[in-house]
Amino acid sequence: MARLEWLQRQIEGIKEEHVIENREHSAAVRLQSWFRGCQVRARLRLLHRKATIIQKVWRGFRARNQFRQMVKKAYFVMKMNFYNEMAIRIQRRWRGYYVRKYIHNYYALKRYLEGLTIKNEQVRKDLEEFAELQRREMERLAREREGQRKCLQAQRLHFLLSTEQCPGVFNSPYRDFPHEMELRLRSIKPLLAKNAPLRRDSGGSPACSLPPVPSKKPQGPFRDPAEVLQQRYRPLEPTLRVATSITALEEAREELRREEWRSRVIDDIFQPFSNAHKNRKYERTLHGTSSYEQVDYGTKYFREENKEKRQGEKLLFFSLGLSQNHPGARVHSPIHVVQLLGQREQSTVLTCVTRSRGS
Amino acid sequence: TRLSSLSTIATRCAPSYFFEQYQKSRMQFVQTVAELASRPQNIETLQNAGVMSLLRPLLLDVVPTIQQTAALALGRLASYNDDLAEAVVKGEILPQLVYSLAEQNRFYKKAAAFVLRAVAKHSPQLAQAVVDCGALDALVVSLEDFDPGVKEAAAWALDYIACHNGELSQAVVDAGAVPLLVLCIQEPELAVKRIAASALNDIAKHSPELAQTVVDAGAIAHLAQMILNPDAKLKRQVFSALSQISKHSVDLAEMVVEAEVFPAVLTSLKDPDEHVRKNATTLIREIAKHTPELSQMIVNAGGVAAVIDYLGDSRGNVRLSGIMMLGYVAAHSENLAMAVIVSKGVPQLAICLAEETEDHIRSATAWALGQIGRHSPEHARAVAMANVLPRLLAFYMDAQSSDDLQAKAKKALKSILQKCTYVPALEPLLHEAPSNILKHVICQFSKVLLHDSKARRLFVTSGGLKKVQEIKAEPGSLLQEYINSINNCFPEEIVRYYSPGYSETLLEQLEKYQPI
């Protein structure tokens, strides 16, 4: 028991020692670990500091570059803005100038319209004048025509002129003053029949009445009256076209045809001499002109048949010299003789025959 | 006497006497027919008596005078109506006539050409029948004849053939007629010149190619020379021909202008003859319508003033070409429109609008005014000051105006109103216009009233604001927006004062009011 207690006290004491040992051990460990920790921390701190320095330097370097870039860019942008501003100012001025001068020139337009107004007025005035002139011209012509017509009428009615004894139609005693026709009648010379213009239904232009030719040459640069009369009464020499009649062509053709019919004797075409014999018309023989059969005469009979007809005939041969009997002359029947004679001879023979028959 | 009676008996028995009698009676017959045919009332009786078949053999008669008179009678009959002309064609008379055109003397040629022309003038089919007989070659040959009467008759026949349509004109051109016609124009006789000018006119009017053919033959120079001729009918034809040539294209119009027609045309605007003036104006119109440069040239020559004077002097249908010319000139650009305004064109057009009763002239005037006023506020102001807008509105609203007039009046109104800032002219429109026009009026008011205080005062006092409040518009539509913008120009009380039913609301307030 005591050992046990002693052992137990020893155990307690060993336990305490162990505990103290452990405590010292752990304290030593703690101290050492803390010291190691401090070492490491110091080391790390150094490293951190070093790294920070490096990073700091590097960052500064980078940032300064970037800043430089930014500044350059900002400067550039500022410059460009400035240039743009100035360019806009120039362009604004230029555009204003150009448009005002070339595209829509207000003052030029205004001047143009003013000029146009003046020109229009001018044109209007000119046209008015022209119309006025035309109108006056027409009126003048109308008045002249009227005057001429009245003059002509007065000339025709010259016998209505009033005399001392007897007032005329136009000079009635009840009037204050004579009619204008009366005054006209007094002033004109009566119209000679030969000079009177032909009365036309429509009042056409008066016939070209020429001034009279004096019998003596008046003083001055005038031509001889004989010459003038010759020129005035020169006969008309119509041109060929005027002088040909409507049917000139047909008449000429007709004339030609008649001429041909009259003058042409020979209807054969004229042959050139070299070809004369070539174009000779083939004349058939007497033998060939009759029918192809053998004629009866010469075989069947030798004499004429119709004896009754030829009772009182005396054929006249001596004038033709055919009654001579010379040897070798063939005996011809009277009919053949007549056929051999020409047409003229035939007719004379026939008339002789009829005459002899009749008598 | 016994001897003489014996001799008369002997002559009467002789065969030559009968032949002479027959010839005399034929001659008498044909002359009487020709004379009767010149009066329209006889032609029915003649037709019933079968005169065509009687005249046909006389065309082949021995005696030339009978032939010619028969042809003349046929021509007069055929020119009366197209049944007779068809009878001429069916009776196969035309080939005979065409043959004799080549062969016979000048009087017969004239009569034959007269018949051809009388047949061809009625319709294109008859003209085609004439062409099919080979008449064109014979007519072109007769154009070269010495006698001016023959030339005139041939040119007239070609004219009537060519006037119907383009194919017939092309056939005439292919026969080689155009150079000969240009030669005919240079002839000294007036009648030949007239007819040749008319023929060129009818050829050139159908298509640009035909007009180019006419120009290539050198017609323009000769036509331009003839403008100064004193004869009125010739000038009519010349101006008509030049306008038909120039209407087709810019090049042709420029060629006509290069021929130095311009100051001479303006003097012709004062010619005593009405048709000469009308055709001269038509020529100016055809030239002006192509390009701004040509219109500028015409304006610089004082053409606008001349045409405006012409409009003042003339009445009726002839004004149409002058009005259209002003419209074309103003349509090209705003400077030209300003030139028209400065030349006092707008009052003249307003007078035309008021005086004329024909719908087509009114629609042309409305169109021209629209072209003048549409360019800028100054132009619209000038047009509005001439008191034109109410009249245009009246035409648009009138149920009796033709569709064309209504459409043109509406378009003109719209185009003028879109630029108009002249308040006194807009006011009457506010009261009368239908809703589609009113939209534009309100739009213009909203633009003007924003800036001008005097105008606002006038607007209120003249009752315009009241009217605006009475307008019913769908919310969200353009009209409502404009009305809102107008209402914003005025103070709240005034707008409420003028709103409809304000007096009722005031009375209601009065009833609700409890005096203290």
Side-chain angles (χ1 to χ4, degrees):
Chain A
M1 253 339 258
R3 189 144 179 113
L4 198 67
E5 279 178 21
W6 182 78
L7 276 168
Q8 273 183 341
R9 265 186 261 133
Q10 291 292 82
I11 292 168
E12 303 276 333
I14 291 166
K15 259 194 208 169
E16 275 181 44
E17 276 176 34
H18 272 290
V19 169
I20 290 165
E21 254 183 65
N22 282 351
R23 216 185 277 145
E24 284 178 355
H25 181 76
S26 49
V29 165
R30 224 184 199 182
L31 283 170
Q32 285 171 10
S33 70
W34 179 78
F35 184 71
R36 277 193 195 108
C38 281
Q39 267 189 328
V40 168
R41 272 195 286 277
R43 173 118 196 109
L44 281 179
R45 208 177 301 132
L46 190 72
L47 286 179
H48 274 308
R49 228 183 280 143
K50 299 247 164 68
T52 306
I53 290 173
I54 293 171
Q55 286 176 5
K56 174 184 80 170
V57 166
W58 174 247
R59 281 197 187 112
F61 171 74
R62 282 293 296 268
R64 269 186 291 284
N65 279 350
Q66 273 186 358
F67 178 70
R68 205 172 295 128
Q69 292 300 322
M70 262 168 52
V71 165
K72 276 190 193 162
K73 206 166 74 164
Y75 175 64
F76 179 74
V77 164
M78 219 168 67
K79 265 206 303 192
M80 290 313 289
N81 281 349
F82 180 72
Y83 291 158
N84 284 348
E85 274 294 320
M86 296 302 122
I88 286 173
R89 279 191 208 174
I90 297 171
Q91 285 172 7
R92 186 190 311 162
R93 292 294 187 111
W94 163 253
R95 282 201 185 106
Y97 163 77
Y98 183 72
V99 163
R100 276 188 210 102
K101 184 159 174 190
Y102 293 109
I103 310 287
H104 180 73
N105 191 341
Y106 176 75
Y107 295 105
L109 191 65
K110 197 160 127 181
R111 257 182 290 133
Y112 169 71
L113 288 172
E114 279 166 20
L116 186 67
T117 325
I118 297 173
K119 169 90 188 193
N120 281 347
E121 285 311 312
Q122 186 70 36
V123 165
R124 278 188 171 125
K125 205 159 56 95
D126 286 342
L127 286 179
E128 282 294 326
E129 277 176 21
F130 179 71
E132 188 63 29
L133 266 165
Q134 265 192 337
R135 206 177 45 83
R136 268 197 230 134
E137 186 68 27
M138 284 184 25
E139 269 175 28
R140 190 182 62 87
L141 280 170
R143 254 182 287 131
E144 266 185 25
R145 249 181 274 137
E146 189 61 31
Q148 275 179 356
R149 196 181 60 83
K150 284 209 171 131
C151 214
L152 193 64
Q153 203 184 25
Q155 281 186 329
R156 285 214 184 94
L157 299 175
H158 68 92
F159 49 85
L160 292 177
L161 182 65
S162 58
T163 55
E164 278 189 26
Q165 285 282 48
C166 177
V169 179
F170 296 112
N171 191 9
S172 162
Y174 301 111
R175 289 176 73 92
D176 299 334
F177 46 84
H179 195 261
E180 52 136 341
M181 199 63 181
E182 172 67 28
L183 298 167
R184 221 184 272 266
L185 284 169
R186 281 185 201 162
S187 61
I188 48 96
K189 276 199 239 173
L191 197 63
L192 290 173
K194 69 171 187 204
N195 290 341
L198 290 163
R199 188 179 270 273
R200 271 166 243 232
D201 288 290
S202 58
S205 61
C208 325
S209 52
L210 298 165
V213 178
S215 48
K216 206 160 64 86
K217 176 171 175 310
Q219 196 182 26
F222 295 106
R223 286 166 65 197
D224 214 19
E227 273 182 34
V228 176
L229 282 168
Q230 202 181 32
Q231 182 189 331
R232 189 181 284 192
Y233 295 114
R234 198 172 65 187
L236 174 70
E237 288 155 31
T239 58
L240 187 60
R241 183 183 131 194
V242 168
T244 51
S245 74
I246 311 170
T247 47
L249 193 60
E250 286 85 20
E251 278 171 28
R253 284 186 187 145
E254 199 47 55
E255 181 60 42
L256 202 60
R257 229 177 282 138
R258 263 185 264 134
E259 170 86 43
E260 271 296 309
W261 191 85
R262 245 200 334 261
S263 57
R264 206 202 298 166
V265 172
I266 306 171
D267 285 329
D268 304 333
I269 311 166
F270 173 69
Q271 308 290 340
F273 295 117
S274 60
N275 295 333
H277 65 279
K278 286 192 202 155
N279 291 337
R280 197 181 303 158
K281 202 156 169 275
Y282 172 63
E283 278 175 3
R284 303 193 73 182
T285 53
L286 185 61
H287 227 58
T289 47
S290 51
S291 53
Y292 290 116
E293 308 148 348
Q294 199 182 21
V295 280
D296 286 344
Y297 177 75
T299 51
K300 296 278 172 61
Y301 63 87
F302 292 95
R303 299 213 174 181
E304 265 302 320
E305 289 289 317
N306 302 330
K307 284 225 174 85
E308 313 81 48
K309 267 211 282 182
R310 289 193 169 70
Q311 280 301 320
E313 259 179 29
K314 279 184 199 155
L315 290 174
L316 309 161
F317 281 128
F318 28 83
S319 59
L320 306 173
L322 281 173
S323 57
Q324 300 164 18
N325 284 327
H326 36 75
R330 270 199 268 162
V331 179
H332 297 280
S333 143
I335 299 178
H336 284 255
V337 170
V338 170
Q339 272 178 348
L340 275 173
L341 295 170
Q343 195 176 349
R344 253 191 251 144
E345 287 92 337
Q346 272 183 18
S347 54
T348 44
V349 165
L350 280 171
T351 42
C352 293
V353 166
T354 45
R355 259 194 239 123
S356 64
R357 257 223 215 138
S359 60
Chain B
T1 47
R2 201 159 163 252
L3 262 171
S4 58
S5 60
L6 274 174
S7 65
T8 44
I9 294 170
T11 47
R12 278 206 201 118
C13 293
S16 57
Y17 175 71
F18 289 113
F19 283 109
E20 274 180 33
Q21 280 296 97
Y22 180 47
Q23 184 180 324
K24 267 192 218 148
S25 48
R26 282 201 317 270
M27 176 71 97
Q28 199 181 18
F29 169 71
V30 105
Q31 275 174 348
T32 327
V33 169
E35 208 174 319
L36 286 176
S38 62
R39 286 185 209 103
Q41 57 265 28
N42 298 327
I43 293 196
E44 284 291 326
T45 21
L46 284 174
Q47 197 177 357
N48 293 339
V51 72
M52 281 290 180
S53 43
L54 287 172
L55 279 178
R56 228 182 104 188
L58 288 175
L59 272 180
L60 304 166
D61 201 274
V62 176
V63 180
T65 330
I66 296 184
Q67 283 178 2
Q68 289 149 21
T69 327
L72 185 64
L74 260 180
R76 284 187 185 153
L77 285 171
S79 73
Y80 178 66
N81 70 12
D82 40 347
D83 291 329
L84 286 165
E86 285 220 28
V88 168
V89 172
K90 279 203 199 105
E92 313 236 345
I93 301 178
L94 290 180
Q96 168 62 32
L97 285 172
V98 169
Y99 170 71
S100 59
L101 253 184
E103 290 286 307
Q104 302 270 1
N105 62 53
R106 58 197 163 111
F107 296 101
Y108 196 88
K109 281 189 196 184
K110 270 197 263 193
F114 173 52
V115 178
L116 290 172
R117 146 179 139 222
V119 168
K121 83 176 181 192
H122 293 286
S123 80
Q125 290 80 22
L126 286 167
Q128 186 62 46
V130 170
V131 170
D132 291 335
C133 294
L136 282 179
D137 294 319
L139 285 171
V140 167
V141 166
S142 352
L143 268 183
E144 290 178 309
D145 199 275
F146 288 116
D147 183 41
V150 173
K151 279 199 244 223
E152 181 192 345
W156 212 333
L158 287 170
D159 182 11
Y160 278 177
I161 293 176
C163 75
H164 292 289
N165 64 30
E167 286 89 31
L168 288 165
S169 301
Q170 188 61 47
V172 169
V173 168
D174 290 336
V178 175
L180 291 168
L181 284 171
V182 173
L183 274 175
C184 282
I185 281 192
Q186 304 166 35
E187 290 281 318
E189 289 85 12
L190 267 181
V192 179
K193 281 203 226 246
R194 272 186 221 150
I195 299 299
S198 166
L200 287 174
N201 177 4
D202 283 328
I203 291 177
K205 75 182 179 194
H206 295 287
S207 84
E209 292 82 26
L210 288 165
Q212 188 63 47
T213 325
V214 170
V215 167
D216 289 337
I220 292 188
H222 300 294
L223 288 172
Q225 273 173 3
M226 293 200 290
I227 291 181
L228 301 170
N229 196 298
D231 182 50
K233 285 190 185 158
L234 178 62
K235 275 196 275 202
R236 278 187 216 175
Q237 298 296 342
V238 164
F239 281 129
S240 182
L242 284 171
S243 59
Q244 300 290 0
I245 291 176
S246 56
K247 81 177 181 193
H248 293 288
S249 82
V250 185
D251 299 317
L252 289 166
E254 278 178 2
M255 287 177 83
V256 171
V257 167
E258 275 165 25
E260 294 181 19
V261 295
F262 250 92
V265 171
L266 299 180
T267 40
S268 314
L269 280 175
K270 288 287 182 184
D271 201 272
D273 187 67
E274 187 184 47
H275 288 282
V276 171
R277 293 200 297 257
K278 170 169 163 260
N279 287 350
T281 323
T282 312
L283 173 62
I284 302 182
R285 172 188 92 195
E286 299 295 350
I287 293 181
K289 80 178 185 192
H290 290 289
T291 68
E293 287 81 22
L294 284 168
S295 304
Q296 185 70 55
M297 189 228 41
I298 294 178
V299 166
N300 290 347
V304 172
V307 170
I308 291 171
D309 280 354
Y310 164 72
L311 281 180
D313 292 334
S314 57
R315 301 276 173 275
N317 247 326
V318 293
R319 273 175 164 171
L320 186 64
S321 36
I323 295 172
M324 285 179 78
M325 180 257 177
L326 290 176
Y328 280 127
V329 166
H332 284 299
S333 83
E334 55 176 17
N335 293 346
L336 287 169
M338 189 48 93
V340 171
I341 293 174
V342 156
S343 317
K344 305 189 183 73
V346 179
Q348 188 57 258
L349 284 173
I351 294 172
C352 285
L353 199 63
E355 280 182 356
E356 293 296 330
T357 51
E358 298 271 321
D359 270 352
H360 60 273
I361 307 183
R362 280 178 174 171
S363 44
T365 321
W367 169 78
L369 283 165
Q371 294 299 330
I372 296 178
R374 72 180 167 98
H375 296 281
S376 86
E378 278 79 32
H379 298 81
R381 183 198 178 90
V383 174
M385 275 167 66
N387 202 17
V388 152
L389 297 177
R391 216 175 275 282
L392 283 176
L393 188 65
F395 287 148
Y396 174 53
M397 308 279 283
D398 190 5
Q400 287 179 349
S401 340
S402 64
D403 294 334
D404 185 43
L405 176 57
Q406 281 182 347
K408 291 219 162 81
K410 175 173 165 206
K411 194 147 178 265
L413 258 183
K414 272 194 178 167
S415 48
I416 296 174
L417 282 174
Q418 274 164 356
K419 298 280 166 122
C420 183
T421 53
Y422 183 60
V423 173
L426 289 177
E427 295 260 4
L429 286 184
L430 190 57
H431 296 279
E432 292 167 9
S435 61
N436 49 355
I437 307 284
L438 198 57
K439 190 169 56 176
H440 298 286
V441 179
I442 302 282
C443 171
Q444 291 301 111
F445 266 123
S446 63
K447 284 182 203 159
V448 170
L449 293 175
L450 268 176
H451 303 289
D452 196 355
S453 61
K454 258 190 272 185
R456 268 179 254 153
R457 191 194 163 93
L458 265 171
F459 192 58
V460 169
T461 51
S462 64
L465 192 57
K466 186 165 194 307
K467 184 72 178 47
V468 168
Q469 301 308 319
E470 285 165 13
I471 298 172
K472 292 184 191 49
E474 297 103 39
S477 73
L478 222 55
L479 193 54
Q480 190 59 40
E481 278 180 39
Y482 295 139
I483 296 179
N484 289 344
S485 53
I486 291 182
N487 290 343
N488 293 341
C489 299
F490 295 97
E492 185 68 40
E493 299 95 26
I494 301 187
V495 175
R496 242 186 296 142
Y497 178 75
Y498 279 111
S499 54
Y502 184 63
S503 44
E504 282 81 29
T505 42
L506 275 182
L507 285 172
E508 272 174 41
Q509 276 191 354
L510 190 62
E511 280 171 14
K512 287 194 201 132
Y513 185 69
Q514 296 291 339
I516 303 167

